[in-house]
Amino acid sequence: MIRTLCLGLALALVAGADALARCADHVPQQRPQNVARDIVGTDLDTIQERGFITFAAYEDFAPYSFVQNGKPAGIDIEIGKIIADELGVEARFKLVAAGETLDADLRNWIWKGPIVGGRVANVMLHVPYDSEFACRIEQVVFTGQYYDESIAIAYDAAHYPDGGPTVPYFRTETVGVENDSLSDFYLSNFNRGMLQPNIVRFASTDAAMTALDEGTVSAVMGPRTQLQALSGEGVAVHSPPLMGLSRGRWTVGVAVSFLYRPLAYSVGDAIYAGISDGRIAAAFEEYGAAFHPPTW
């Protein structure tokens, strides 16, 4: 799932890599023109008149968004409900599969629509924010940053009684990661691939954490919030320095079509209200994770 961050933002993982000035090589992109309203979204007045707002959230993405007892649940779902409550409308959710890149997800669910099987949502939840990426995707307004995320390591506390492992430990210890994730990419390329023999790849971070509980691996690397929420008894989570990783921390927010900036402003205000009065922190606590507010 976090591959959308890794591939979509095209983050430089090697410290000191050459980089252009922000958006220096940007080429203006296609913007939707003369298309039907159901393709490009709906404005704030229409949302309030009809009485509901639609959200796109990733499927099978615990603790952020998943199905529980036949209904959408998770931290991002609670944030969608907070937004809807602030706007005075009902929240409706569509759980969608992650594409190969973040810009593909935004194209499918915010500004253009998928080729088959659905239409765009008013708001897409759990969109990682990067200033350079934001200026390249002109069809989207990136707003409502609601928490800071970072790469961390979950470990068996009994196996490491003197404290959590750092990356060099995995020269001799096994570490689980979600396949094709940022953590996978980082560990696979660490010190010219020296950790490759001890990296165990799983279909999801959830599956990797199950393997940690079962003793199949001695640690798991992934997003801190996921690791905390999925930790079983005797598992600890820490965030050691990650040598050579230039972007191990990022902010998560939401996306709205560029055609509906008043909606984007209202959604941003709703999220700010949820942070200010503690409702968003309570959502994280409900799902067993610590809330780290964004640093604007």
Side-chain angles (χ1 to χ4, degrees):
M1 174 62 66
I2 205 65
R3 67 179 180 275
T4 58
L5 173 70
C6 180
L7 300 178
L9 300 186
L11 300 178
L13 297 183
V14 179
D18 292 337
L20 296 171
R22 180 178 183 266
C23 300
D25 61 344
H26 170 62
V27 177
Q29 297 179 327
Q30 171 193 1
R31 295 193 180 197
Q33 300 291 333
N34 301 321
V35 292
R37 288 165 62 86
D38 64 338
I39 295 299
V40 297
T42 305
D43 59 54
L44 178 59
D45 288 342
T46 302
I47 288 170
Q48 292 180 322
E49 287 171 5
R50 75 186 183 188
F52 68 88
I53 183 171
T54 60
F55 295 94
Y58 290 114
E59 64 183 10
D60 300 325
F61 196 27
Y64 310 110
S65 48
F66 57 99
V67 175
Q68 185 177 64
N69 299 323
K71 296 181 180 180
I75 295 169
D76 291 339
I77 302 304
E78 294 304 314
I79 289 170
K81 293 177 181 177
I82 290 170
I83 294 170
D85 184 63
E86 288 291 313
L87 297 181
V89 296
E90 173 193 353
R92 297 185 181 181
F93 299 94
K94 179 179 179 62
L95 300 188
V96 303
E100 287 301 316
T101 61
L102 178 58
D103 54 332
D105 292 337
L106 296 171
R107 181 178 64 248
N108 288 338
W109 305 115
I110 288 298
W111 66 269
K112 186 174 183 179
I115 296 174
V116 294
R119 62 178 61 180
V120 296
N122 301 129
V123 179
M124 186 163 192
L125 299 164
H126 207 96
V127 176
Y129 178 77
D130 176 85
S131 62
E132 184 169 339
F133 180 75
C135 78
R136 296 173 186 273
I137 308 300
E138 298 174 332
Q139 305 91 340
V140 173
V141 177
F142 297 87
T143 187
Q145 298 174 41
Y146 53 90
Y147 83 104
D148 281 348
E149 184 64 281
S150 64
I151 294 297
I153 296 175
Y155 60 96
D156 181 348
H159 188 73
Y160 297 102
D162 297 326
T166 58
V167 173
Y169 278 63
F170 305 135
R171 291 175 294 182
T172 57
E173 302 277 350
T174 55
V175 57
V177 294
E178 180 179 334
N179 191 41
D180 288 335
S181 65
L182 178 59
S183 299
D184 183 8
F185 189 76
Y186 170 66
L187 292 176
S188 296
N189 290 276
F190 183 82
N191 204 2
R192 301 183 179 181
M194 69 178 298
L195 307 180
Q196 284 279 8
N198 290 320
I199 300 172
V200 184
R201 297 173 177 85
F202 297 88
S204 65
T205 301
D206 195 346
M209 291 298 287
T210 298
L212 177 60
D213 290 338
E214 295 172 347
T216 305
V217 296
S218 50
V220 173
M221 178 179 277
R224 176 192 58 222
T225 303
Q226 277 191 296
L227 300 185
Q228 290 175 338
L230 299 172
S231 293
E233 186 177 354
V235 173
V237 177
H238 77 142
S239 299
L242 300 174
M243 183 176 62
L245 182 62
S246 65
R247 186 66 64 86
R249 183 181 301 274
W250 62 95
T251 304
V252 174
V254 303
V256 177
S257 169
F258 81 104
L259 295 173
Y260 302 108
R261 288 187 179 273
L263 173 61
Y265 299 147
S266 294
V267 168
D269 289 344
I271 288 175
Y272 182 79
I275 293 173
S276 299
D277 64 17
R279 283 176 291 170
I280 289 181
F284 278 79
E285 182 178 358
E286 178 181 353
Y287 288 92
F291 174 58
H292 294 264
T295 52
W296 293 292

